[in-house]
Amino acid sequence: MPAALPGLLSDPMDFTPDAASAQAQLRNFVPRAGNAYASQRNYDFGPEKRDNISCLSPYIRHRLITEEDVLTATLERFAPSTAEKFIQEVFWRGYFKGWLEHHPSVWRDYADQLSDLHAKLAANSGLATAYDEAVTGRTGIDCFDAWAQELVQYGYLHNHARMWFAAIWIFTLRLPWALGAEFFLTHLLDGHAASNTCSWRWVGGLHTKGKHYLARASNIARYTDGRFAPTGLNEQTAPLEEENNHPRQLLTLPEEDALPDDFALLIHGEDCAAQSLPLQGKAPRLIVGLKPDWNAVSSPPAGAVQVFSAGAVDDACARAASTFACPASDIISADALIQAMQQAGLKTLVMAYIPIGPLRDIWDKRSTYLAENGITTMTILRDYDRLVWPHASRGFFKLKQRIPTILDELALG
């Protein structure tokens, strides 16, 4: 079992980065995925009491369990109508992934904003002080300060708290949304470029133009069961605006080409469920686990997040090596990957698709170098993503309407 995560308390929230823990949490939650979840899911009772929500997101984010695993377990116990709210929450993550694939300029614009904002933090002492007070939980707003400290301490926040936090950050503290999104992505164990970036933009009124989310003191008091009574919140303000347009681009999905008989399988932190990848009945001769050099990105994840991702990859590699009866090794540099494949006499590298985000930014630079050195990369897209993403070009409602059909197509209806 992977070691405990440094910087995080193991109690009361213990997220261990392996498939066995993911399956145990799924079994623990599924009996509550129906009406109990629908009625209680919006309440943030604090880190000591999370039995009203699934706490599956760190595992789903790294696909230590897949969305299909979760949907299958849920629908074996409940009718789709009874578990409708939870099923929709599962699809929200796929929606945001697909939406960002349709609008890749949003991710590039976010990265550009961060570069400029880091320079402003260095030059503007007032902004730097306000930012530091926010991320260390010293603003004087009781709920916000508690959530800032909880995020850093546990690597997790209730979804409703994330919305309130983002709204206070943007509209009360008047801090740039991109810095808040970076704070979340740096510390959340379930942080994903698509859901995180799009959620912050949604709160600010940029994802759905003109429609923003405001944190209201009465709402916070009600749904935290009276734990907080914030004052001074800006509850009436206009949504954010932006100069850049992000037009929808044609969605280009990987082709379903025939795999060669001999290949290496790359496992990365975006997909740690190699055994369920559609490998066309073939088995790899070598498993390689990608451990990215996070110094290659401008905003590397916090240490605990890096350890969780690395632990998930280690667990996935061990399970895949056992399943496919082949050796496994860690890979950090492109040269090490090329050397390992050459020693194994392999020229084809098969991998699950890496969606838009920091790992994709790192990998895109490597893939060209691999091709120049005779390594052919073949990318596999799961059926779930292939069915969901085409319907994620606009608002969630379009995808929501398709959920019953997608469940049928996945033989889950």
Side-chain angles (χ1 to χ4, degrees):
M1 178 178 293
L5 303 182
L8 296 183
L9 296 182
S10 59
D11 184 29
M13 300 180 66
D14 182 13
F15 293 111
T16 304
D18 59 36
S21 297
Q23 291 290 346
Q25 180 58 26
L26 178 60
R27 290 192 298 271
N28 179 59
F29 168 71
V30 160
R32 304 189 302 276
N35 292 328
Y37 175 81
S39 63
Q40 294 290 307
R41 67 190 181 95
N42 284 329
Y43 285 89
D44 176 15
F45 297 116
E48 296 82 8
K49 181 175 171 53
R50 293 291 192 215
D51 58 358
N52 60 315
I53 56 175
S54 75
C55 291
L56 290 169
S57 55
Y59 304 119
I60 300 173
R61 182 264 176 271
H62 296 280
R63 280 186 167 159
L64 283 163
I65 51 173
T66 67
E67 292 88 343
E68 287 188 65
D69 293 333
V70 175
L71 292 168
T72 297
T74 301
L75 292 170
E76 284 177 349
R77 187 175 185 99
F78 295 105
S81 58
T82 305
E84 180 181 33
K85 286 296 182 182
F86 179 65
I87 290 170
Q88 288 175 6
E89 288 302 310
V90 174
F91 275 90
W92 265 104
R93 182 173 292 270
Y95 163 72
F96 280 137
K97 278 187 180 181
W99 193 94
L100 199 58
E101 295 291 328
H102 284 280
H103 303 84
S105 64
V106 167
W107 175 251
R108 294 193 296 269
D109 184 63
Y110 162 74
D112 290 342
Q113 287 189 57
L114 282 181
S115 179
D116 293 340
L117 288 168
H118 287 167
K120 289 180 179 179
L121 283 173
N124 186 326
S125 60
L127 176 62
T129 297
Y131 171 79
D132 185 64
E133 289 175 348
V135 299
T136 56
R138 294 183 292 112
T139 69
I141 302 173
D142 59 358
C143 56
F144 184 94
D145 292 346
W147 291 325
Q149 294 168 23
E150 183 180 331
L151 171 62
V152 174
Q153 186 174 14
Y154 296 114
Y156 187 85
L157 280 181
H158 187 287
N159 184 62
H160 210 165
R162 300 182 197 200
M163 294 164 57
W164 290 318
F165 186 98
I168 295 170
W169 179 288
I170 295 170
F171 297 117
T172 297
L173 302 178
R174 295 293 184 181
L175 288 168
W177 74 266
L179 287 178
E182 179 189 41
F183 180 50
F184 269 23
L185 191 60
T186 298
H187 290 284
L188 284 169
L189 295 178
D190 61 10
H192 190 276
S195 55
N196 187 67
T197 306
C198 292
S199 293
W200 273 82
R201 287 173 57 84
W202 180 83
V203 169
L206 300 176
H207 184 76
T208 304
K209 300 298 182 185
K211 183 179 180 180
H212 57 330
Y213 178 84
L214 295 174
R216 304 188 186 281
S218 60
N219 185 265
I220 293 172
R222 175 186 176 188
Y223 285 103
T224 61
D225 201 26
R227 291 191 301 127
F228 301 115
T231 59
L233 302 187
N234 188 348
E235 300 187 10
Q236 291 185 338
T237 188
L240 299 179
E241 297 180 353
E242 62 183 343
E243 295 180 0
N244 295 339
N245 292 318
H246 301 288
R248 180 167 61 95
Q249 297 188 13
L250 180 66
L251 185 64
T252 304
L253 303 179
E255 299 292 335
E256 299 181 84
D257 297 327
L259 298 180
D261 291 331
D262 298 319
F263 61 90
L265 179 63
L266 180 77
I267 295 177
H268 50 74
E270 296 289 337
D271 197 308
C272 294
Q275 293 92 322
S276 63
L277 282 172
L279 297 178
Q280 303 168 10
K282 299 178 180 180
R285 285 181 47 197
L286 174 68
I287 303 293
V288 289
L290 176 62
K291 302 290 183 65
D293 177 9
W294 288 114
N295 292 323
V297 299
S298 59
S299 301
V305 178
Q306 292 188 33
V307 170
F308 187 93
S309 179
V313 171
D314 285 341
D315 177 68
C317 286
R319 287 182 287 112
S322 176
T323 298
F324 298 118
C326 66
S329 64
D330 290 341
I331 297 295
I332 295 178
S333 70
D335 287 330
L337 175 56
I338 292 169
Q339 182 179 10
M341 292 189 64
Q342 288 175 341
Q343 290 176 347
L346 302 172
K347 295 184 178 181
T348 302
L349 181 69
V350 175
M351 58 187 292
Y353 184 87
I354 300 178
I356 290 173
L359 187 59
R360 170 78 165 271
D361 293 342
I362 294 173
W363 182 256
D364 282 348
K365 297 177 182 178
R366 291 190 180 187
S367 60
T368 300
Y369 183 69
L370 294 176
E372 293 171 348
N373 285 271
I375 303 297
T376 298
T377 301
M378 298 184 68
T379 301
I380 295 176
L381 187 68
R382 290 184 180 272
D383 290 342
Y384 179 86
D385 297 329
R386 197 177 293 277
L387 291 170
V388 168
W389 290 1
H391 306 290
S393 60
R394 293 187 176 85
F396 181 72
F397 182 74
K398 179 183 177 182
L399 173 60
K400 179 181 174 181
Q401 289 182 306
R402 296 287 303 180
I403 289 176
T405 301
I406 293 172
L407 293 176
D408 286 341
E409 291 176 314
L410 292 171
L412 300 177

